[in-house]
Amino acid sequence: MAKKSIKQREDKREKLVAQYAKKYAALKAVIDDAQKSDEERYLARLDLQKLPRNANPTRLRNRCALTGRGRGTFRMFGLARNKIRELAFKGDIPGVVKASW
């Protein structure tokens, strides 16, 4: 189980990313646009740096929905590897069966 403070920090980051998503995308579009002048792109870069650090989507971490574990999380299920194993053996995940050949 991840600490409660870690889960809350991650939730706070998710809210900030959602709040600044449009502004972040607009600034990135200006920065990546080769048609814009160098000065416009430079100013967009400065504005991007003024955004809160936690508004950057790369600071988000995929966590297990049940335990909050940050490593070994499968995107398809949103669960950590050990929880997938437990639930698959119980038969709680539809379509997932133990491998045999």
Side-chain angles (χ1 to χ4, degrees):
M1 256 340 223
K3 293 186 343 185
K4 191 174 181 182
S5 60
I6 301 294
K7 291 180 186 178
Q8 289 175 341
R9 184 187 312 158
E10 198 65 32
D11 291 340
K12 185 178 176 183
R13 283 182 181 155
E14 287 176 11
K15 289 176 187 172
L16 265 177
V17 167
Q19 180 182 347
Y20 287 99
K22 282 186 179 179
K23 190 170 188 177
Y24 188 87
L27 289 172
K28 288 294 279 184
V30 171
I31 292 168
D32 295 338
D33 188 5
Q35 302 294 327
K36 301 281 185 185
S37 68
D38 289 340
E39 187 175 337
E40 282 180 306
R41 293 168 69 190
Y42 177 72
L43 291 175
R45 227 175 277 122
L46 290 179
D47 288 342
L48 189 67
Q49 290 175 359
K50 289 178 185 174
L51 294 180
R53 179 173 285 169
N54 286 332
N56 192 335
T58 58
R59 290 179 66 91
L60 290 178
R61 177 119 187 143
N62 292 335
R63 293 197 169 271
C64 177
L66 299 178
T67 62
R69 181 179 168 87
R71 296 185 180 241
T73 304
F74 286 73
R75 290 180 190 166
M76 185 175 180
F77 303 106
L79 299 172
R81 57 185 172 74
N82 47 4
K83 286 298 171 184
I84 290 174
R85 186 171 191 266
E86 286 177 17
L87 295 174
F89 285 163
K90 286 183 192 174
D92 291 342
I93 304 176
V96 176
V97 292
K98 189 173 182 228
S100 61
W101 59 90

mmCIF file of all heavy atoms in Angstrom, residues 17-51:
data_model
loop_
_atom_site.group_PDB
_atom_site.id
_atom_site.type_symbol
_atom_site.label_atom_id
_atom_site.label_comp_id
_atom_site.label_asym_id
_atom_site.label_seq_id
_atom_site.Cartn_x
_atom_site.Cartn_y
_atom_site.Cartn_z
ATOM 1 N N VAL A 17 -2.662 19.134 -14.008
ATOM 2 C CA VAL A 17 -2.448 18.810 -15.422
ATOM 3 C C VAL A 17 -3.734 19.068 -16.203
ATOM 4 O O VAL A 17 -3.703 19.660 -17.282
ATOM 5 C CB VAL A 17 -1.987 17.348 -15.594
ATOM 6 C CG1 VAL A 17 -2.061 16.913 -17.039
ATOM 7 C CG2 VAL A 17 -0.571 17.197 -15.074
ATOM 8 N N ALA A 18 -4.872 18.659 -15.635
ATOM 9 C CA ALA A 18 -6.151 18.879 -16.312
ATOM 10 C C ALA A 18 -6.471 20.371 -16.411
ATOM 11 O O ALA A 18 -6.992 20.843 -17.430
ATOM 12 C CB ALA A 18 -7.258 18.156 -15.570
ATOM 13 N N GLN A 19 -6.146 21.119 -15.370
ATOM 14 C CA GLN A 19 -6.432 22.554 -15.332
ATOM 15 C C GLN A 19 -5.651 23.320 -16.394
ATOM 16 O O GLN A 19 -6.179 24.221 -17.043
ATOM 17 C CB GLN A 19 -6.105 23.106 -13.944
ATOM 18 C CG GLN A 19 -6.358 24.580 -13.772
ATOM 19 C CD GLN A 19 -5.968 25.065 -12.390
ATOM 20 O OE1 GLN A 19 -5.736 24.271 -11.481
ATOM 21 N NE2 GLN A 19 -5.888 26.360 -12.224
ATOM 22 N N TYR A 20 -4.387 22.970 -16.585
ATOM 23 C CA TYR A 20 -3.513 23.690 -17.497
ATOM 24 C C TYR A 20 -3.344 23.001 -18.854
ATOM 25 O O TYR A 20 -2.492 23.400 -19.645
ATOM 26 C CB TYR A 20 -2.132 23.886 -16.864
ATOM 27 C CG TYR A 20 -2.119 24.922 -15.769
ATOM 28 C CD1 TYR A 20 -2.183 24.550 -14.434
ATOM 29 C CD2 TYR A 20 -2.028 26.272 -16.065
ATOM 30 C CE1 TYR A 20 -2.165 25.492 -13.420
ATOM 31 C CE2 TYR A 20 -1.996 27.227 -15.067
ATOM 32 C CZ TYR A 20 -2.075 26.831 -13.748
ATOM 33 O OH TYR A 20 -2.057 27.775 -12.753
ATOM 34 N N ALA A 21 -4.134 21.971 -19.137
ATOM 35 C CA ALA A 21 -3.941 21.178 -20.355
ATOM 36 C C ALA A 21 -4.071 22.016 -21.631
ATOM 37 O O ALA A 21 -3.239 21.902 -22.542
ATOM 38 C CB ALA A 21 -4.933 20.015 -20.391
ATOM 39 N N LYS A 22 -5.086 22.859 -21.708
ATOM 40 C CA LYS A 22 -5.296 23.661 -22.922
ATOM 41 C C LYS A 22 -4.149 24.649 -23.122
ATOM 42 O O LYS A 22 -3.623 24.788 -24.227
ATOM 43 C CB LYS A 22 -6.616 24.423 -22.832
ATOM 44 C CG LYS A 22 -7.830 23.586 -23.107
ATOM 45 C CD LYS A 22 -9.074 24.444 -23.132
ATOM 46 C CE LYS A 22 -10.301 23.617 -23.440
ATOM 47 N NZ LYS A 22 -11.512 24.439 -23.439
ATOM 48 N N LYS A 23 -3.774 25.333 -22.054
ATOM 49 C CA LYS A 23 -2.707 26.330 -22.153
ATOM 50 C C LYS A 23 -1.385 25.649 -22.517
ATOM 51 O O LYS A 23 -0.621 26.142 -23.352
ATOM 52 C CB LYS A 23 -2.575 27.072 -20.829
ATOM 53 C CG LYS A 23 -1.670 28.267 -20.878
ATOM 54 C CD LYS A 23 -1.768 29.084 -19.607
ATOM 55 C CE LYS A 23 -1.016 30.379 -19.759
ATOM 56 N NZ LYS A 23 -1.128 31.248 -18.597
ATOM 57 N N TYR A 24 -1.125 24.503 -21.901
ATOM 58 C CA TYR A 24 0.090 23.733 -22.166
ATOM 59 C C TYR A 24 0.143 23.315 -23.643
ATOM 60 O O TYR A 24 1.171 23.476 -24.311
ATOM 61 C CB TYR A 24 0.130 22.514 -21.246
ATOM 62 C CG TYR A 24 1.412 21.744 -21.286
ATOM 63 C CD1 TYR A 24 2.477 22.093 -20.471
ATOM 64 C CD2 TYR A 24 1.568 20.653 -22.132
ATOM 65 C CE1 TYR A 24 3.664 21.386 -20.501
ATOM 66 C CE2 TYR A 24 2.754 19.945 -22.171
ATOM 67 C CZ TYR A 24 3.787 20.318 -21.345
ATOM 68 O OH TYR A 24 4.971 19.617 -21.383
ATOM 69 N N ALA A 25 -0.980 22.808 -24.142
ATOM 70 C CA ALA A 25 -1.032 22.348 -25.533
ATOM 71 C C ALA A 25 -0.852 23.521 -26.505
ATOM 72 O O ALA A 25 -0.155 23.384 -27.530
ATOM 73 C CB ALA A 25 -2.351 21.640 -25.797
ATOM 74 N N ALA A 26 -1.455 24.663 -26.188
ATOM 75 C CA ALA A 26 -1.335 25.828 -27.068
ATOM 76 C C ALA A 26 0.110 26.317 -27.126
ATOM 77 O O ALA A 26 0.633 26.626 -28.208
ATOM 78 C CB ALA A 26 -2.248 26.939 -26.577
ATOM 79 N N LEU A 27 0.761 26.387 -25.981
ATOM 80 C CA LEU A 27 2.152 26.842 -25.953
ATOM 81 C C LEU A 27 3.073 25.857 -26.672
ATOM 82 O O LEU A 27 3.984 26.263 -27.394
ATOM 83 C CB LEU A 27 2.614 27.052 -24.503
ATOM 84 C CG LEU A 27 1.990 28.255 -23.787
ATOM 85 C CD1 LEU A 27 2.355 28.242 -22.322
ATOM 86 C CD2 LEU A 27 2.426 29.551 -24.434
ATOM 87 N N LYS A 28 2.837 24.559 -26.487
ATOM 88 C CA LYS A 28 3.654 23.554 -27.170
ATOM 89 C C LYS A 28 3.462 23.644 -28.681
ATOM 90 O O LYS A 28 4.407 23.446 -29.439
ATOM 91 C CB LYS A 28 3.293 22.147 -26.679
ATOM 92 C CG LYS A 28 3.760 21.827 -25.277
ATOM 93 C CD LYS A 28 5.251 21.770 -25.165
ATOM 94 C CE LYS A 28 5.771 20.443 -25.646
ATOM 95 N NZ LYS A 28 7.215 20.306 -25.476
ATOM 96 N N ALA A 29 2.241 23.954 -29.117
ATOM 97 C CA ALA A 29 1.976 24.083 -30.548
ATOM 98 C C ALA A 29 2.759 25.259 -31.127
ATOM 99 O O ALA A 29 3.309 25.166 -32.234
ATOM 100 C CB ALA A 29 0.483 24.258 -30.793
ATOM 101 N N VAL A 30 2.819 26.359 -30.388
ATOM 102 C CA VAL A 30 3.574 27.526 -30.853
ATOM 103 C C VAL A 30 5.061 27.201 -30.910
ATOM 104 O O VAL A 30 5.756 27.549 -31.866
ATOM 105 C CB VAL A 30 3.320 28.751 -29.939
ATOM 106 C CG1 VAL A 30 4.254 29.894 -30.282
ATOM 107 C CG2 VAL A 30 1.871 29.198 -30.052
ATOM 108 N N ILE A 31 5.546 26.515 -29.888
ATOM 109 C CA ILE A 31 6.973 26.179 -29.827
ATOM 110 C C ILE A 31 7.372 25.251 -30.973
ATOM 111 O O ILE A 31 8.431 25.405 -31.583
ATOM 112 C CB ILE A 31 7.312 25.532 -28.468
ATOM 113 C CG1 ILE A 31 7.181 26.567 -27.344
ATOM 114 C CG2 ILE A 31 8.695 24.922 -28.468
ATOM 115 C CD1 ILE A 31 7.219 25.985 -25.953
ATOM 116 N N ASP A 32 6.512 24.306 -31.307
ATOM 117 C CA ASP A 32 6.820 23.318 -32.345
ATOM 118 C C ASP A 32 6.566 23.819 -33.765
ATOM 119 O O ASP A 32 6.979 23.170 -34.730
ATOM 120 C CB ASP A 32 6.017 22.035 -32.107
ATOM 121 C CG ASP A 32 6.428 21.341 -30.825
ATOM 122 O OD1 ASP A 32 7.556 21.586 -30.360
ATOM 123 O OD2 ASP A 32 5.623 20.552 -30.280
ATOM 124 N N ASP A 33 5.878 24.952 -33.889
ATOM 125 C CA ASP A 33 5.535 25.484 -35.214
ATOM 126 C C ASP A 33 6.740 26.199 -35.826
ATOM 127 O O ASP A 33 7.172 27.238 -35.341
ATOM 128 C CB ASP A 33 4.357 26.443 -35.090
ATOM 129 C CG ASP A 33 3.817 26.875 -36.437
ATOM 130 O OD1 ASP A 33 4.297 26.351 -37.464
ATOM 131 O OD2 ASP A 33 2.912 27.732 -36.467
ATOM 132 N N ALA A 34 7.269 25.640 -36.891
ATOM 133 C CA ALA A 34 8.446 26.222 -37.547
ATOM 134 C C ALA A 34 8.103 27.494 -38.309
ATOM 135 O O ALA A 34 8.998 28.273 -38.638
ATOM 136 C CB ALA A 34 9.070 25.203 -38.492
ATOM 137 N N GLN A 35 6.820 27.719 -38.582
ATOM 138 C CA GLN A 35 6.392 28.916 -39.314
ATOM 139 C C GLN A 35 6.470 30.179 -38.444
ATOM 140 O O GLN A 35 6.570 31.281 -38.974
ATOM 141 C CB GLN A 35 4.945 28.744 -39.804
ATOM 142 C CG GLN A 35 4.739 27.542 -40.701
ATOM 143 C CD GLN A 35 5.480 27.684 -42.024
ATOM 144 O OE1 GLN A 35 5.628 28.778 -42.539
ATOM 145 N NE2 GLN A 35 5.969 26.567 -42.557
ATOM 146 N N LYS A 36 6.409 30.002 -37.131
ATOM 147 C CA LYS A 36 6.453 31.152 -36.211
ATOM 148 C C LYS A 36 7.874 31.714 -36.170
ATOM 149 O O LYS A 36 8.850 31.015 -36.424
ATOM 150 C CB LYS A 36 6.031 30.730 -34.796
ATOM 151 C CG LYS A 36 4.650 30.136 -34.704
ATOM 152 C CD LYS A 36 3.602 31.199 -34.708
ATOM 153 C CE LYS A 36 2.228 30.567 -34.498
ATOM 154 N NZ LYS A 36 1.173 31.513 -34.597
ATOM 155 N N SER A 37 7.961 32.984 -35.790
ATOM 156 C CA SER A 37 9.286 33.607 -35.686
ATOM 157 C C SER A 37 10.004 33.081 -34.444
ATOM 158 O O SER A 37 9.378 32.544 -33.518
ATOM 159 C CB SER A 37 9.147 35.126 -35.601
ATOM 160 O OG SER A 37 8.557 35.490 -34.376
ATOM 161 N N ASP A 38 11.304 33.237 -34.432
ATOM 162 C CA ASP A 38 12.096 32.770 -33.297
ATOM 163 C C ASP A 38 11.697 33.476 -32.010
ATOM 164 O O ASP A 38 11.696 32.874 -30.938
ATOM 165 C CB ASP A 38 13.590 32.984 -33.566
ATOM 166 C CG ASP A 38 14.120 32.028 -34.617
ATOM 167 O OD1 ASP A 38 13.454 30.991 -34.848
ATOM 168 O OD2 ASP A 38 15.188 32.314 -35.180
ATOM 169 N N GLU A 39 11.359 34.758 -32.132
ATOM 170 C CA GLU A 39 10.990 35.524 -30.944
ATOM 171 C C GLU A 39 9.679 35.017 -30.343
ATOM 172 O O GLU A 39 9.559 34.875 -29.124
ATOM 173 C CB GLU A 39 10.854 37.008 -31.294
ATOM 174 C CG GLU A 39 10.637 37.880 -30.074
ATOM 175 C CD GLU A 39 10.622 39.360 -30.407
ATOM 176 O OE1 GLU A 39 11.191 39.739 -31.440
ATOM 177 O OE2 GLU A 39 10.036 40.115 -29.622
ATOM 178 N N GLU A 40 8.702 34.713 -31.209
ATOM 179 C CA GLU A 40 7.421 34.176 -30.728
ATOM 180 C C GLU A 40 7.628 32.830 -30.030
ATOM 181 O O GLU A 40 7.055 32.579 -28.963
ATOM 182 C CB GLU A 40 6.454 33.973 -31.895
ATOM 183 C CG GLU A 40 5.792 35.235 -32.393
ATOM 184 C CD GLU A 40 4.844 34.961 -33.539
ATOM 185 O OE1 GLU A 40 5.299 34.344 -34.536
ATOM 186 O OE2 GLU A 40 3.678 35.339 -33.438
ATOM 187 N N ARG A 41 8.446 31.998 -30.630
ATOM 188 C CA ARG A 41 8.708 30.679 -30.043
ATOM 189 C C ARG A 41 9.440 30.819 -28.713
ATOM 190 O O ARG A 41 9.168 30.097 -27.755
ATOM 191 C CB ARG A 41 9.507 29.817 -31.019
ATOM 192 C CG ARG A 41 8.670 29.476 -32.254
ATOM 193 C CD ARG A 41 9.477 28.881 -33.361
ATOM 194 N NE ARG A 41 9.954 27.557 -33.012
ATOM 195 C CZ ARG A 41 10.849 26.878 -33.714
ATOM 196 N NH1 ARG A 41 11.347 27.388 -34.805
ATOM 197 N NH2 ARG A 41 11.228 25.689 -33.327
ATOM 198 N N TYR A 42 10.360 31.766 -28.651
ATOM 199 C CA TYR A 42 11.109 32.008 -27.413
ATOM 200 C C TYR A 42 10.167 32.489 -26.303
ATOM 201 O O TYR A 42 10.246 32.018 -25.159
ATOM 202 C CB TYR A 42 12.208 33.037 -27.666
ATOM 203 C CG TYR A 42 12.990 33.412 -26.435
ATOM 204 C CD1 TYR A 42 13.894 32.530 -25.866
ATOM 205 C CD2 TYR A 42 12.811 34.658 -25.838
ATOM 206 C CE1 TYR A 42 14.607 32.871 -24.731
ATOM 207 C CE2 TYR A 42 13.517 35.009 -24.705
ATOM 208 C CZ TYR A 42 14.421 34.106 -24.152
ATOM 209 O OH TYR A 42 15.117 34.449 -23.033
ATOM 210 N N LEU A 43 9.264 33.404 -26.634
ATOM 211 C CA LEU A 43 8.307 33.908 -25.644
ATOM 212 C C LEU A 43 7.364 32.796 -25.177
ATOM 213 O O LEU A 43 7.009 32.730 -24.000
ATOM 214 C CB LEU A 43 7.519 35.081 -26.226
ATOM 215 C CG LEU A 43 8.314 36.367 -26.452
ATOM 216 C CD1 LEU A 43 7.459 37.408 -27.153
ATOM 217 C CD2 LEU A 43 8.853 36.899 -25.138
ATOM 218 N N ALA A 44 6.983 31.929 -26.091
ATOM 219 C CA ALA A 44 6.120 30.796 -25.721
ATOM 220 C C ALA A 44 6.864 29.862 -24.767
ATOM 221 O O ALA A 44 6.281 29.339 -23.811
ATOM 222 C CB ALA A 44 5.680 30.043 -26.969
ATOM 223 N N ARG A 45 8.159 29.682 -25.011
ATOM 224 C CA ARG A 45 8.966 28.843 -24.121
ATOM 225 C C ARG A 45 9.043 29.454 -22.717
ATOM 226 O O ARG A 45 8.962 28.749 -21.714
ATOM 227 C CB ARG A 45 10.366 28.665 -24.703
ATOM 228 C CG ARG A 45 10.829 27.245 -24.673
ATOM 229 C CD ARG A 45 12.161 27.029 -25.360
ATOM 230 N NE ARG A 45 11.990 26.884 -26.796
ATOM 231 C CZ ARG A 45 12.558 27.650 -27.709
ATOM 232 N NH1 ARG A 45 13.350 28.629 -27.369
ATOM 233 N NH2 ARG A 45 12.340 27.428 -28.988
ATOM 234 N N LEU A 46 9.189 30.764 -22.663
ATOM 235 C CA LEU A 46 9.229 31.443 -21.364
ATOM 236 C C LEU A 46 7.892 31.317 -20.631
ATOM 237 O O LEU A 46 7.854 31.095 -19.415
ATOM 238 C CB LEU A 46 9.593 32.922 -21.544
ATOM 239 C CG LEU A 46 11.020 33.229 -21.958
ATOM 240 C CD1 LEU A 46 11.212 34.726 -22.117
ATOM 241 C CD2 LEU A 46 12.005 32.689 -20.938
ATOM 242 N N ASP A 47 6.787 31.461 -21.380
ATOM 243 C CA ASP A 47 5.468 31.308 -20.770
ATOM 244 C C ASP A 47 5.253 29.881 -20.274
ATOM 245 O O ASP A 47 4.625 29.663 -19.230
ATOM 246 C CB ASP A 47 4.366 31.670 -21.772
ATOM 247 C CG ASP A 47 4.296 33.165 -22.033
ATOM 248 O OD1 ASP A 47 4.841 33.934 -21.201
ATOM 249 O OD2 ASP A 47 3.709 33.568 -23.055
ATOM 250 N N LEU A 48 5.767 28.921 -21.010
ATOM 251 C CA LEU A 48 5.647 27.521 -20.603
ATOM 252 C C LEU A 48 6.408 27.274 -19.303
ATOM 253 O O LEU A 48 5.953 26.521 -18.432
ATOM 254 C CB LEU A 48 6.172 26.602 -21.708
ATOM 255 C CG LEU A 48 5.925 25.114 -21.533
ATOM 256 C CD1 LEU A 48 4.447 24.814 -21.622
ATOM 257 C CD2 LEU A 48 6.665 24.329 -22.582
ATOM 258 N N GLN A 49 7.547 27.919 -19.153
ATOM 259 C CA GLN A 49 8.336 27.766 -17.935
ATOM 260 C C GLN A 49 7.656 28.398 -16.729
ATOM 261 O O GLN A 49 7.929 28.018 -15.592
ATOM 262 C CB GLN A 49 9.724 28.369 -18.124
ATOM 263 C CG GLN A 49 10.604 27.588 -19.055
ATOM 264 C CD GLN A 49 11.928 28.273 -19.318
ATOM 265 O OE1 GLN A 49 12.184 29.360 -18.817
ATOM 266 N NE2 GLN A 49 12.767 27.643 -20.122
ATOM 267 N N LYS A 50 6.773 29.368 -16.972
ATOM 268 C CA LYS A 50 6.077 30.036 -15.867
ATOM 269 C C LYS A 50 4.939 29.189 -15.299
ATOM 270 O O LYS A 50 4.459 29.466 -14.210
ATOM 271 C CB LYS A 50 5.525 31.389 -16.337
ATOM 272 C CG LYS A 50 6.606 32.414 -16.576
ATOM 273 C CD LYS A 50 6.021 33.713 -17.078
ATOM 274 C CE LYS A 50 7.119 34.694 -17.438
ATOM 275 N NZ LYS A 50 6.586 35.909 -18.063
ATOM 276 N N LEU A 51 4.504 28.179 -16.061
ATOM 277 C CA LEU A 51 3.452 27.299 -15.553
ATOM 278 C C LEU A 51 3.976 26.517 -14.355
ATOM 279 O O LEU A 51 5.180 26.293 -14.220
ATOM 280 C CB LEU A 51 3.001 26.328 -16.649
ATOM 281 C CG LEU A 51 2.296 26.910 -17.861
ATOM 282 C CD1 LEU A 51 1.923 25.795 -18.827
ATOM 283 C CD2 LEU A 51 1.079 27.697 -17.467
#
